[in-house]
Amino acid sequence: MNDQSPFRTSQLEAVDTAPRNPTTNPTMGELISARFSRRGFLQGSLAVSAIAATISPLALMTAGKAKAAGGSAFNFTEVEAGIDETHHVAEGYDADILLRWGDALFADAPEFNPAAQTADAQSRQFGYNNDYVGYIPFDDSSEHGLLVVNHEYTNPHLMFPGIVEIVEGEITTKPLTKDQVDIELMAHGGTVVEIRKTDGKWAVVKDGALNRRITVNTEMEVTGPAAGHDRLKTNADPTGTKVFGTINNCAGGVTPWGTYIMAEENIHGYFAGELAPDHPEAANYKRLGIPEGSYEWANYYDRFDLSKEPNEPNRFGYVVEVDVMDPSSIPKKRTALGRFKHEGAESIIARDGRVVFYLGDDERFDYVYKFVTAGKFNPDDRTANMDLLNEGTLYVAKFAEDGTLVWMPLVQGEGPLTPENGFASQADVVIATRLAADLLGATKMDRPEDIQPNGVNGKVYVMLTNNTRREAGQEDAANPRAKNAFGHIIEIGETDGDFAATSGTWDVMLKCGDPSVAEVGATFSTATTANGWFGMPDNCAVDAAGRLWVSTDGNNPSDTGRTDGLWAVDTEGDARATSKLFFRVPVGAEMCGPLFTPDDETAFVAVQHPADGGEDWEGFGRVSYYEDLSTRWPDFDDAMPVRPSVVVITKQGGGKIAV
């Protein structure tokens, strides 16, 4: 997030626009206020006994030892919070650059040449702005497998020379050429690449048979309730089943059967043009902020111009599934999981064998969802699982002030989801998911992002990044968080520990921000140091031991005096709500990922948009662009621009991380 950037693609990702949810549904802030004003503020006041059916005995033993000891589950020397031009990791660990924007992914791919970029070259190189990172092991190995990485969006002012002009203090950007737009198209999407650890160090296998780039021009199949519906048909695709490409893939997931999940998020920024006010899609698009027009693609491609292809936006905003074991396979847009600004899609197997996906809609005042497959996971037959995401039930959460929640099914014909309200079929429900959830009275959240189920303690962790648009008057003494700039983390316990349950309980595990500033209302434990607190929780991971790791988006000099980073957050026992800084990014960057190998001996993190924004560590007001960058990380070569990169972290001498 970069609210201070003068550049449109950076502003798009900040999502600090006027709220797009017009309903009067209660906000999460109001519910927290109502709940804790009655009971007083009590950290960890819900006792949830849920234990998942998929608990690892070794992980449970590890977690149990930490809890029994009454101390933190993490053991490392904390990094000092701050801001400078490079990355920093805890003492005793190596943080090596594994993949940079433009790195060749194939033996015959060209090397990166920033002065002579082409779309063809970019289509065979690592894409831009790496976000989600997943690992799919070969033969259960923690040292050899496939790395899958989303490339969320592009920053032309950091990618291309000659874009930015400053005349008498005024910043202007030149229109992109078609060649530059074509490079952007190839820099979006995802990467599938073989990696191997040898003598303690990871490297890309460029001749890996499964290596693949997915771009905006990759053919995809629409599946599920919306497939073939009239609202998805275009001049180029009268069937409504064939889409080219995927855009703005933020977080994602890896399924239990080893497929790669990409989640389409801020799709509104790619479309320009106008619809007639009485167009059938007007309300649907308005609810998503379409068109926003941050990108210039409509200047060269009609499908991104609403006046020419009004149905094209209905073909984006879904979860995409990729069979990584077949590099020629056609990725599938799984419409049953709904259409909104998907942050991610992390999954877990419920006790009856069905698979549950948790989904956040990343916008202020929007909702938390989950999807439960109709079919059951078959661990002995991968093929039998390949279409599990075509059928199931999509739910949206309603949080009650007494600490309970219900998962309300978004099913056509049930409740208000009727033809009279615009929902003639399940296709209408999934195409206009936000409007359907509005009618059910879902709880308006403070920007839901990653949602991670924990198979060790049976809980679910919801990252709520911030909501500066919440109006004063919704707070009280127990919840003084109007204009919630720093976000919080919700812990959910599903009924009876069953992730497929339709009810559960919730608690505010952590309110973020500087605990030394009373009016912020942060609730980190007193054991948290000045380096350990953070704001704006975004992505998260649960490692094999069941420990929670949180990465952030939006920390900067004026708000928190630190860059984004990766924090270890205790969730159990006396150490609950204690946080420690493990890794921090260079100036201007966002911390994405994170991801641990099954043996917890490697962590992958994604450093996104380094050098972006209007601040640096020397002073405010810095405009950073290709010719005048606040950092040239990671190469620090005057001939190279700043390059978003995946970093791999290992303990010096080997061993499990933070143990």
Side-chain angles (χ1 to χ4, degrees):
M1 183 182 73
N2 232 309
D3 295 344
Q4 299 186 6
S5 175
F7 305 110
R8 291 200 66 182
T9 60
S10 300
Q11 294 168 2
L12 173 69
E13 298 306 314
V15 292
D16 194 20
T17 57
R20 296 192 176 95
N21 189 336
T23 71
T24 57
N25 299 347
T27 67
M28 195 68 196
E30 292 167 335
L31 293 171
I32 293 171
S33 296
R35 183 178 179 202
F36 288 107
S37 62
R38 288 200 326 272
R39 302 172 55 189
F41 184 77
L42 296 173
Q43 267 188 295
S45 57
L46 284 180
V48 182
S49 60
I51 298 294
T54 54
I55 292 177
S56 159
L58 177 61
L60 184 58
M61 194 184 327
T62 303
K65 287 179 180 178
K67 185 173 181 180
S72 175
F74 302 95
N75 181 24
F76 62 87
T77 301
E78 192 170 24
V79 173
E80 182 177 354
I83 301 171
D84 60 26
E85 73 273 22
T86 193
H87 66 270
H88 299 264
V89 71
E91 180 182 347
Y93 292 84
D94 290 329
D96 301 318
I97 306 300
L98 179 64
L99 278 163
R100 303 162 296 181
W101 165 48
D103 279 350
L105 296 173
F106 307 89
D108 60 351
E111 294 302 313
F112 182 57
N113 182 350
Q117 299 178 52
T118 68
D120 286 344
Q122 179 64 86
S123 70
R124 298 181 62 73
Q125 296 166 335
F126 193 61
Y128 203 76
N129 270 344
N130 33 229
D131 196 306
Y132 173 76
V133 180
Y135 177 76
I136 301 173
F138 291 158
D139 299 322
D140 298 321
S141 172
S142 289
E143 298 189 347
H144 188 202
L146 293 176
L147 198 72
V148 294
V149 183
N150 285 352
H151 302 294
E152 186 180 8
Y153 68 104
T154 47
N155 293 115
H157 63 287
L158 302 177
M159 295 173 67
F160 304 123
I163 293 293
V164 177
E165 292 182 327
I166 302 179
V167 180
E168 297 182 353
E170 293 295 319
I171 301 170
T172 61
T173 56
K174 294 180 181 179
L176 297 186
T177 66
K178 183 176 182 299
D179 286 345
Q180 289 169 330
V181 166
D182 286 344
I183 293 168
E184 285 194 297
L185 297 176
M186 296 300 102
H188 278 69
T191 288
V192 179
V193 63
E194 183 178 341
I195 57 172
R196 183 191 294 271
K197 187 179 182 183
T198 304
D199 296 329
K201 293 295 181 181
W202 287 88
V204 167
V205 180
K206 289 185 181 179
D207 58 356
L210 301 178
N211 292 2
R212 181 179 188 181
R213 271 303 317 281
I214 296 163
T215 73
V216 178
N217 286 348
T218 300
E219 180 181 341
M220 302 197 171
E221 179 186 356
V222 180
T223 71
H229 195 277
D230 286 346
R231 297 174 71 177
L232 270 69
K233 294 178 180 178
T234 64
N235 290 322
D237 174 31
T239 71
T241 61
K242 181 179 178 181
V243 179
F244 283 98
T246 181
I247 53 178
N248 211 266
N249 299 104
C250 195
V254 170
T255 66
W257 51 97
T259 55
Y260 165 31
I261 297 293
M262 310 169 74
E264 298 180 322
E265 192 189 42
N266 289 314
I267 63 168
H268 59 303
Y270 298 83
F271 296 96
E274 295 184 2
L275 286 180
D278 59 349
H279 191 281
E281 297 297 344
N284 176 27
Y285 289 179
K286 181 179 180 180
R287 188 64 175 79
L288 286 160
I290 298 169
E292 198 276 343
S294 289
Y295 288 84
E296 300 173 45
W297 298 2
N299 293 343
Y300 304 104
Y301 295 98
D302 287 351
R303 67 180 174 128
F304 297 105
D305 185 339
L306 296 189
S307 67
K308 298 174 181 177
E309 284 289 4
N311 282 352
E312 187 71 16
N314 280 337
R315 296 148 67 82
F316 295 90
Y318 299 104
V319 161
V320 180
E321 184 176 16
V322 183
D323 181 0
V324 295
M325 295 304 170
D326 179 2
S328 65
S329 64
I330 296 176
K332 297 181 178 181
K333 296 205 174 188
R334 301 298 194 181
T335 66
L337 281 74
R339 175 174 168 270
F340 45 86
K341 294 180 182 178
H342 283 277
E343 169 69 21
E346 296 288 357
S347 61
I348 194 163
I349 303 168
R351 59 178 50 157
D352 67 358
R354 291 181 294 166
V355 186
V356 182
F357 289 77
Y358 288 91
L359 315 164
D361 186 354
D362 183 7
E363 190 146 32
R364 291 162 178 85
F365 298 112
D366 265 293
Y367 305 132
V368 167
Y369 299 84
K370 77 175 179 182
F371 177 81
V372 182
T373 61
K376 297 180 180 181
F377 170 63
N378 185 338
D380 301 316
D381 185 357
R382 183 173 185 267
T383 302
N385 304 310
M386 295 305 287
D387 285 321
L388 279 179
L389 296 188
N390 276 350
E391 296 183 19
T393 303
L394 180 64
Y395 298 90
V396 67
K398 188 170 187 176
F399 294 78
E401 65 180 63
D402 64 355
T404 62
L405 69 86
V406 293
W407 293 102
M408 302 179 293
L410 289 156
V411 176
Q412 193 276 335
E414 294 188 11
L417 304 184
T418 62
E420 293 76 15
N421 287 325
F423 300 98
S425 68
Q426 189 64 18
D428 293 318
V429 173
V430 298
I431 292 169
T433 306
R434 281 186 173 180
L435 294 176
D438 290 346
L439 288 177
L440 266 61
T443 304
K444 296 162 71 172
M445 307 292 281
D446 285 355
R447 196 177 160 204
E449 299 222 40
D450 248 9
I451 305 175
Q452 185 74 258
N454 186 333
V456 174
N457 67 8
K459 309 291 179 62
V460 180
Y461 295 95
V462 183
M463 304 296 111
L464 297 161
T465 297
N466 55 25
N467 187 353
T468 55
R469 299 286 179 162
R470 189 198 298 177
E471 295 295 332
Q474 296 179 346
E475 79 279 19
D476 58 29
N479 182 36
R481 302 278 287 198
K483 298 191 179 301
N484 177 12
F486 303 106
H488 55 287
I489 299 173
I490 295 290
E491 182 182 72
I492 293 174
E494 302 281 26
T495 297
D496 296 327
D498 181 3
F499 290 106
T502 57
S503 63
T505 54
W506 65 272
D507 197 8
V508 180
M509 196 201 92
L510 182 62
K511 291 182 181 180
C512 304
D514 186 348
S516 71
V517 181
E519 58 265 29
V520 168
T523 60
F524 290 94
S525 79
T526 56
T528 301
T529 72
N531 300 309
W533 66 266
F534 58 84
M536 304 83 166
D538 185 341
N539 298 130
C540 64
V542 171
D543 64 20
R547 303 176 301 175
L548 180 65
W549 299 80
V550 176
S551 64
T552 61
D553 173 16
N555 292 268
N556 57 56
S558 61
D559 290 332
T560 61
R562 60 197 60 203
T563 62
D564 286 321
L566 179 64
W567 277 264
V569 181
D570 279 292
T571 60
E572 307 292 333
D574 294 339
R576 182 176 169 89
T578 301
S579 175
K580 296 174 67 177
L581 178 57
F582 182 71
F583 178 92
R584 82 175 205 226
V585 299
V587 62
E590 171 186 343
M591 181 84 278
C592 299
L595 184 280
F596 290 78
T597 51
D599 63 3
D600 280 346
E601 293 192 5
T602 299
F604 299 98
V605 293
V607 177
Q608 191 185 78
H609 61 75
D612 194 19
E615 300 180 327
D616 66 19
W617 67 96
E618 296 171 338
F620 303 157
R622 170 73 176 267
V623 176
S624 180
Y625 57 98
Y626 190 97
E627 288 83 3
D628 187 18
L629 294 162
S630 56
T631 178
R632 291 190 179 272
W633 185 90
D635 299 308
F636 297 102
D637 181 343
D638 288 344
M640 284 288 177
V642 66
R643 301 167 76 180
S645 303
V646 171
V647 177
V648 57
I649 302 171
T650 53
K651 182 181 285 188
Q652 294 169 359
K656 295 183 183 298
I657 290 175
V659 172

